Amino acid sequence: MFKPLAAVSLLALLFSQAAMAENVTVEELQDGLNHPWALAFLPDNQGMLITERSGELRRWQAGKGLSAPLKGVPEVWTRSQGGLLDVVLAPDFAESRRVWLSYTRGEPDGRGGAAVGYGRLSEDYQQLSDFREVIRQQPGLSGGANLGTRMAFDGSGNLFIAFGDNFQAEKAQDLNALQGKIVRLKADGSIPPDNPLVGKAGARPEIWTWGMRNPQGLALNPWTRQMWESEHGPRGGDEVNILRKGANYGWPLATWGIDYSGAKVPGSKGGEVEGTLQPIWYWKVSPAISGMAFYNSDRFSQWKNSLFIGALKEKNLIRLSLNGERVVDQQRLLEDRGERIRDVRVGPDGWLYLLTDESDGKLLRVGLAP
């Protein structure tokens, strides 16, 4: 998925990228986080909220550091990839104080699934009250893998939620299950009447798209106002998708990866399958991509029109250069640090903020030297 450039322009591009990589600056703002998973910026310079997979939600402030765990967070199922996961603020947070969380819930049979809900953040930032679970994969079918659960609001106040297939690939094509789906809800948790499967027998009306495997990134493109998603393939086939209403993204019928055994994915018909939508970018060898963010700030003009994605297995930060809906180049940053990057966000100040997925996880601030 790489379009060759002319030799002269390619050489110039390589020199430019090398210079940019040398100018990248990294500041460690916080350590001692227990497998941090996501962050959300609070307005009015009040810092940020950070989730830890072990079940804690904390507030971090410059000059003050990390708070004690906030009260009122739902109990979570912490097996393997499960736990407290994403956090986003409602678009009307200034009035509602509403904070959305994604997390995992256990089942009596020992398996689990993803859930999403919201609570009201107190004025002193110390607790959530009146927490309400809005949607849940039920039954949960995961032994701890492929839970997904990234969240993002679009420009119209709708919440998109990315659910993994629970390592039950066939469920991604089952329209009566939430496994392997992107769902779309109103800001109050109700179902928008223009969702593509509303009124269709045997289908969940919350569904926006299906055929996803294990979504790890979800972000609204600031230039096109379309929602983009990134997800893990099996062995190879990590991909980036633009989410089109009512589209089938193919998993497990269509995949550019192979099974962990080295054989063909059971049920796969190849990389391109009629009736399914292709990713706009994929990696034949998986970096194990994670959270992602579009860069649209004037602080570092060299990064404009970029999509940043963390990599867990490769332990680096990927920068995809965009031309409209096309990826025209990719670059690897922070390879020398050897840290699993779990989340990537662009701060109100134009800096990149990253979380590293370690038992001694870090909050990093990344930019370019003058």
Side-chain angles (χ1 to χ4, degrees), residues 102-124:
S102 69
Y103 50 97
T104 49
R105 292 277 306 271
E107 299 284 352
D109 65 1
R111 295 188 290 180
V116 166
Y118 64 81
R120 186 183 186 280
L121 182 62
S122 61
E123 297 291 339
D124 62 6

Side-chain angles (χ1 to χ4, degrees), residues 75-155:
E75 184 177 351
V76 302
W77 181 76
T78 55
R79 181 178 300 180
S80 187
Q81 299 168 15
L84 184 59
L85 304 174
D86 209 0
V87 54
V88 296
L89 305 186
D92 67 346
F93 175 81
E95 294 78 34
S96 70
R97 308 285 297 180
R98 185 174 293 175
V99 174
W100 288 79
L101 297 174
S102 69
Y103 50 97
T104 49
R105 292 277 306 271
E107 299 284 352
D109 65 1
R111 295 188 290 180
V116 166
Y118 64 81
R120 186 183 186 280
L121 182 62
S122 61
E123 297 291 339
D124 62 6
Y125 299 93
Q126 294 184 12
Q127 67 177 1
L128 293 180
S129 61
D130 303 319
F131 193 87
R132 174 196 169 205
E133 186 170 287
V134 172
I135 191 169
R136 177 181 176 187
Q137 289 179 320
Q138 200 169 27
L141 303 174
S142 174
N146 291 21
L147 291 155
T149 74
R150 282 290 178 190
M151 301 182 292
F153 280 95
D154 67 9

Side-chain angles (χ1 to χ4, degrees), residues 217-265:
L218 198 62
L220 184 67
N221 184 309
W223 309 290
T224 67
R225 312 307 293 174
Q226 293 174 308
M227 196 67 72
W228 289 36
E229 175 257 9
S230 64
E231 66 180 76
H232 285 178
R235 185 172 164 185
D238 288 7
E239 59 189 51
V240 177
N241 296 295
I242 299 175
L243 300 180
R244 317 282 189 189
K245 179 179 179 178
N248 180 1
Y249 288 81
W251 176 256
L253 307 175
T255 177
W256 293 102
I258 58 175
D259 192 60
Y260 291 111
S261 67
K264 188 178 80 168
V265 170

Side-chain angles (χ1 to χ4, degrees), residues 160-321:
F160 284 72
I161 306 168
F163 283 131
D165 72 354
N166 288 188
F167 216 65
Q168 306 290 324
E170 71 284 354
K171 286 294 183 180
Q173 294 295 321
D174 180 355
L175 297 181
N176 199 33
L178 290 179
Q179 281 77 11
K181 309 299 189 304
I182 307 294
V183 307
R184 176 177 176 255
L185 302 176
K186 290 184 177 182
D188 61 1
S190 62
I191 299 170
D194 60 340
N195 273 5
L197 302 181
V198 169
K200 182 174 180 178
R204 294 289 298 258
E206 302 96 333
I207 294 173
W208 185 255
T209 67
W210 60 95
M212 333 306 291
R213 184 177 182 271
N214 189 17
Q216 295 292 306
L218 198 62
L220 184 67
N221 184 309
W223 309 290
T224 67
R225 312 307 293 174
Q226 293 174 308
M227 196 67 72
W228 289 36
E229 175 257 9
S230 64
E231 66 180 76
H232 285 178
R235 185 172 164 185
D238 288 7
E239 59 189 51
V240 177
N241 296 295
I242 299 175
L243 300 180
R244 317 282 189 189
K245 179 179 179 178
N248 180 1
Y249 288 81
W251 176 256
L253 307 175
T255 177
W256 293 102
I258 58 175
D259 192 60
Y260 291 111
S261 67
K264 188 178 80 168
V265 170
S268 170
K269 299 178 181 179
E272 297 185 54
V273 176
E274 185 177 356
T276 68
L277 209 58
Q278 282 289 296
I280 64 154
W281 186 263
Y282 70 87
W283 291 266
K284 196 68 176 174
V285 177
S286 292
I289 54 180
S290 57
M292 68 181 191
F294 290 93
Y295 194 84
N296 192 33
S297 172
D298 293 325
R299 178 175 284 275
F300 304 116
S301 59
Q302 303 97 312
W303 281 349
K304 289 293 279 287
N305 299 312
S306 295
L307 177 64
F308 285 93
I309 304 179
L312 298 164
K313 185 177 72 176
E314 283 192 355
K315 299 182 178 181
N316 56 38
L317 178 64
I318 301 170
R319 183 174 77 94
L320 298 181
S321 298

